[in-house]
Amino acid sequence: MTPEYTNSLLDGELFFKRNEYFIELEKEKNDRVIGDRREGSWSRPLNTNNKKYFVRIKDEEKMYPINIKRGAVHKQYKDLKNVPICCFTLLSLKEDFDKVSDNTFKIKDDVIEQFKKEFEDRNVFIFQLLEIMSCIKDYCEKHKIPMKANKVTYYDEFSEIHPLSEKEFRDNPINTLFHKRSSYSSQKEYRIILPGNYEEDQTLKIDCLKEKNKAFTISNLESLTFLTTVDTI
């Protein structure tokens, strides 16, 4: 959580950036940590076996051969830029924690180091996923706000077919927002999106969030331990 939004979340305000922000962040500032110009796109690997590719310079007739070793074809619906997104990091007990003692765990050092690398200037809020999602879903249902949430799936655009079929992409393009290129996999992202054509970023004022959050710095994570039950492991 960036510092300017820390107090807002402590006050129960959940902020959603429109997808356009993430697309333009890479395009304009070459930010490939938060920014992603392929947000909401569907892709398939480019077949480079025994195929020749050519390019043509604008206003010229001549075609020029190019040597392509790997590539991907992308499709993207422009209206998805207006969909607001709220992003979390979802940690797995089995993959991202070390056992300290019976039922006590701490976040792995390499996970914390990755956080420092990618989110150095951010504050950290720790939630139990089922609790916070129950809180958010109840709010959205009460206020009749369409909402979708899911863990992000990562894939290699150059060697793997997109997790969605092309038909699934055509029928429900918004679901591409739950799939990202494998270069972003260290973010372990969980997303909430607000389907719709929004002209501005959105903020949801959810009072029950105030009871479930506390801010930490990333360096605080090194000293935190978490108590869990056997049923959770």
Side-chain angles (χ1 to χ4, degrees), residues 2-25:
T2 52
E4 65 264 33
Y5 295 116
T6 296
N7 288 334
S8 296
L9 185 53
L10 286 170
D11 198 34
E13 293 182 350
L14 194 62
F15 185 70
F16 291 74
K17 275 280 191 187
R18 290 194 311 150
N19 186 33
E20 182 178 33
Y21 169 80
F22 303 104
I23 294 172
E24 296 303 321
L25 198 59

Side-chain angles (χ1 to χ4, degrees), residues 47-179:
N47 182 3
T48 59
N49 295 328
N50 302 317
K51 284 202 171 188
K52 293 182 179 180
Y53 292 91
F54 298 83
V55 296
R56 184 170 61 191
I57 299 174
K58 187 177 180 180
D59 299 327
E60 287 191 17
E61 293 284 336
K62 185 176 179 180
M63 302 288 286
Y64 297 90
I66 56 173
N67 182 28
I68 297 179
K69 293 184 178 180
R70 68 174 191 168
V73 176
H74 289 265
K75 297 181 180 181
Q76 199 169 24
Y77 279 96
K78 64 179 183 179
D79 285 347
L80 288 182
K81 70 180 183 179
N82 296 324
V83 176
I85 303 173
C86 183
C87 308
F88 301 87
T89 294
L90 180 62
L91 297 184
S92 162
L93 187 63
K94 292 182 179 180
E95 296 177 4
D96 302 311
F97 288 80
D98 284 326
K99 189 171 184 178
V100 177
S101 61
D102 288 346
N103 300 334
T104 304
F105 298 81
K106 68 182 293 293
I107 301 174
K108 288 182 176 180
D109 291 340
D110 61 329
V111 174
I112 296 175
E113 288 303 314
Q114 188 65 37
F115 286 168
K116 289 179 179 179
K117 179 181 177 181
E118 298 194 4
F119 309 120
E120 182 179 10
D121 60 343
R122 298 188 171 221
N123 292 319
V124 177
F125 289 81
I126 299 174
F127 299 100
Q128 205 286 331
L129 180 63
L130 295 180
E131 287 185 0
I132 187 177
M133 286 310 304
S134 175
C135 182
I136 295 168
K137 286 178 180 178
D138 288 348
Y139 175 90
C140 289
E141 288 176 4
K142 179 179 178 180
H143 293 84
K144 295 180 169 47
I145 300 173
M147 181 270 288
K148 298 185 77 169
N150 210 338
K151 181 179 178 181
V152 171
T153 299
Y154 299 94
Y155 71 102
D156 186 334
E157 63 183 324
F158 301 116
S159 63
E160 296 179 298
I161 298 173
H162 195 281
L164 298 177
S165 69
E166 191 165 6
K167 183 180 185 304
E168 289 173 320
F169 166 65
R170 290 195 304 267
D171 292 345
N172 292 289
I174 198 167
N175 288 336
T176 56
L177 293 173
F178 295 113
H179 305 279

